[in-house]
Amino acid sequence: MYSLLEPIIHWMFKKLLLLAGILLILVAGLWVKSEWATVSAIGTKIAEVEQNIASEERNMTGYLRDLKRHDPENPALKSLGTLEEVAAAAEAIHKRVAAETHFWHFGFTTQGMKYNSTKAVADSARRTADRVQDLKNSLMGTDRPVIQRLIIWTRDSAPIAMGILAGVIIVPWILKGVFYFVLAPIADKLPPVRIGGDAHAECPVFVPSAVSHTIEVQPDQELLIRPEFLQSSTKPSKKRTRWFLNPRLPVSSAISGMTLLTSVRPHEEKPTRVVISSTKDALAEVGIITIPEGSSVVMHPRALAGVVKPLNSPVHISSVWRLGSLHSWLTLQLRYLVFHGPCALILKGCRGVKAELPDPNSARLLNQSATLGFSAHLDYSNTRCETFMSYFLGKEDLFNDQFAGENGVFVYEEMPDLRHKSGLTGRGFEGLADSLLKVFGI
């Protein structure tokens, strides 16, 4: 019972994590929007308040002039710098004048007018200082607590997040239905693609894959190998770094990982022995396909671990586009890279690499994500996978590769590596990126 519920629980847990992620993004967006609006409002308020403060502080000059008129000998009046200090000084002067003024001085006497004048200055300065302080305090307004804002934003974002989650769940289902029942049958009815090549040329020879292979590099040959696949070699051999598998295809070489290769050549007129094996991937095995002169093989560069080629001659790779083929557009494979002989390709594959000869009487089907390459003259096409549920649940790709013809081989890895799985709806953005690489035959 648990084995039946386990995938359902796992699926629900992943969707809950996705919902939490969507909510987090929406809440973060609302927070940024709120903070931006708050900052803008505060900026406007600050400019307004600062303008009012500047207007009030302009009155300080008049108050200082009046204070100095009433107490010209007071040295403290020369160091007053703020309205608060001016107001305190005015109140102190008025308090002293009030203490010196008797009741009969009020009215139109000189002492009475001095009392009234200092009182007016002290009151005006105090009112202005208090007004400026109130304006400054208004800039320190309080806001809602962070927890309260988070609760409100989460509540407001929940319906949108649920809608997005529903779209994320349902849209791939709809797309898969459209792809399987509408687009895939069209590909079934299209004629196969033939890249070219000579059907009467000698058939490539494949050496079954193993954890390691020993290669004898002849004096007239050069081995270009990824450093992580070079396990051992003869010391007198000449080694240097090659930037690209083929300088004419730097982008394809870079994206497929065939850059910064180690070049191995014999030191003298004797072959040098090299052992090829993956030193990084425990599941990787290597196989060798020898392409005779006049023969050609379509190959995904990602499958390459190295190449044995003639000395002082670049690897002959041609680029073939099929922009006018509806079949190529449906499968998003518009460009093919063709390796021409004589050379030997060292292929890597998860748990092994295998080669088959097509049956002359009936086509051979192969999981599309496992295909590594095929003879260029074979009829290559795609057919819809047999069962919808296996495609819907991600067990199979939408298309199976189909090969037909004679005197050729097709090569595949025995366990397709999930890191290289293609398909627009299979793995989200990773699937889309794989599809874009597939367009360029990579």
Side-chain angles (χ1 to χ4, degrees):
M1 185 66 179
Y2 176 73
S3 60
L4 181 63
L5 292 176
E6 183 181 7
I8 299 176
I9 295 172
H10 181 66
W11 181 85
M12 291 181 65
F13 180 70
K14 288 199 330 186
K15 297 309 175 187
L16 285 175
L17 286 180
L18 180 59
L19 177 61
I22 294 171
L23 270 174
L24 182 62
I25 292 173
L26 291 175
V27 169
L30 288 175
W31 177 79
V32 171
K33 181 180 178 182
S34 172
E35 292 300 312
W36 183 265
T38 302
V39 168
S40 299
I42 289 176
T44 303
K45 186 177 181 181
I46 287 175
E48 228 175 84
V49 170
E50 287 180 344
Q51 186 177 2
N52 293 333
I53 290 175
S55 175
E56 296 291 349
E57 287 182 340
R58 281 195 290 270
N59 297 325
M60 187 170 64
T61 305
Y63 299 145
L64 278 173
R65 186 174 59 249
D66 292 338
L67 291 179
K68 290 176 181 178
R69 180 167 55 84
H70 292 298
D71 196 356
E73 303 300 328
N74 191 343
L77 297 179
K78 297 180 180 180
S79 61
L80 300 180
T82 65
L83 273 171
E84 181 61 35
E85 292 173 347
V86 171
E91 289 170 341
I93 292 173
H94 173 67
K95 185 176 181 180
R96 192 186 71 228
V97 171
E100 296 172 353
T101 304
H102 303 286
F103 70 93
W104 58 80
H105 289 154
F106 291 101
F108 297 99
T109 65
T110 302
Q111 187 67 19
M113 287 188 289
K114 184 177 182 180
Y115 173 88
N116 293 333
S117 178
T118 56
K119 185 176 186 306
V121 172
D123 291 345
S124 297
R126 173 52 57 193
R127 283 196 303 270
T128 302
D130 291 344
R131 191 155 51 246
V132 168
Q133 188 60 43
D134 289 342
L135 289 171
K136 290 180 178 180
N137 290 339
S138 68
L139 298 179
M140 308 296 293
T142 58
D143 202 350
R144 286 177 175 172
V146 175
I147 299 299
Q148 184 180 357
R149 284 188 289 169
L150 286 176
I151 293 174
I152 294 173
W153 292 338
T154 303
R155 181 197 63 195
D156 295 341
S157 301
I160 302 175
M162 294 296 291
I164 294 175
L165 179 63
V168 169
I169 296 173
I170 295 173
V171 170
W173 295 353
I174 297 174
L175 287 177
K176 285 193 173 186
V178 172
F179 288 165
Y180 189 87
F181 294 106
V182 179
L183 294 180
I186 298 176
D188 281 340
K189 299 175 183 178
L190 295 174
V193 175
R194 181 174 290 183
I195 305 304
D198 186 1
H200 302 289
E202 189 177 349
C203 183
V205 179
F206 181 75
V207 178
S209 67
V211 174
S212 64
H213 272 293
T214 300
I215 298 177
E216 296 285 340
V217 183
Q218 302 300 319
D220 60 345
Q221 292 179 330
E222 178 185 16
L223 169 66
L224 300 179
I225 189 73
R226 293 188 181 190
E228 65 268 25
F229 282 87
L230 182 58
Q231 191 172 64
S232 68
S233 61
T234 306
K235 184 175 181 179
S237 59
K238 299 177 183 178
K239 296 186 180 68
R240 57 178 298 185
T241 298
R242 297 285 188 185
W243 286 92
F244 300 107
L245 174 65
N246 189 322
R248 294 190 301 117
L249 299 170
V251 176
S252 296
S253 298
I255 295 177
S256 62
M258 293 300 287
T259 58
L260 298 176
L261 305 174
T262 298
S263 168
V264 181
R265 297 180 181 181
H267 179 62
E268 296 175 346
E269 296 301 318
K270 294 181 181 179
T272 183
R273 188 173 73 253
V274 179
V275 176
I276 305 299
S277 180
S278 175
T279 60
K280 303 293 184 182
D281 190 347
L283 294 178
E285 292 189 7
V286 290
I288 304 172
I289 182 169
T290 302
I291 308 175
E293 187 170 2
S295 184
S296 55
V297 172
V298 176
M299 190 64 63
H300 293 294
R302 66 173 176 82
L304 292 177
V307 177
V308 179
K309 67 177 187 66
L311 189 64
N312 299 324
S313 176
V315 182
H316 184 194
I317 306 174
S318 61
S319 178
V320 179
W321 289 85
R322 286 291 183 266
L323 297 178
S325 170
L326 180 59
H327 178 277
S328 296
W329 283 102
L330 285 176
T331 57
L332 287 179
Q333 188 161 350
L334 307 177
R335 183 196 187 209
Y336 301 84
L337 295 180
V338 184
F339 291 76
H340 301 268
C343 67
L345 305 182
I346 303 169
L347 308 179
K348 61 184 178 69
C350 185
R351 215 180 65 183
V353 181
K354 191 174 182 63
E356 290 188 30
L357 278 69
D359 190 336
N361 300 317
S362 59
R364 296 285 293 171
L365 299 180
L366 176 64
N367 188 331
Q368 189 179 58
S369 60
T371 302
L372 299 180
F374 54 92
S375 294
H377 68 272
L378 292 180
D379 291 333
Y380 168 64
S381 60
N382 296 103
T383 182
R384 186 180 68 178
C385 67
E386 286 84 353
T387 58
F388 174 71
M389 287 307 298
S390 61
Y391 164 64
F392 181 77
L393 296 176
K395 306 295 184 182
E396 286 191 69
D397 290 337
L398 175 61
F399 291 108
N400 287 325
D401 284 340
Q402 181 174 281
F403 301 99
E406 297 180 350
N407 199 36
V409 296
F410 61 93
V411 187
Y412 57 92
E413 56 183 337
E414 296 196 21
M415 187 176 79
D417 194 338
L418 292 178
R419 293 170 296 180
H420 298 142
K421 186 178 178 182
S422 60
L424 282 172
T425 59
R427 293 184 295 111
F429 289 109
E430 293 180 31
L432 179 60
D434 285 346
S435 297
L436 291 176
L437 295 181
K438 185 180 176 184
V439 168
F440 295 98
I442 299 170

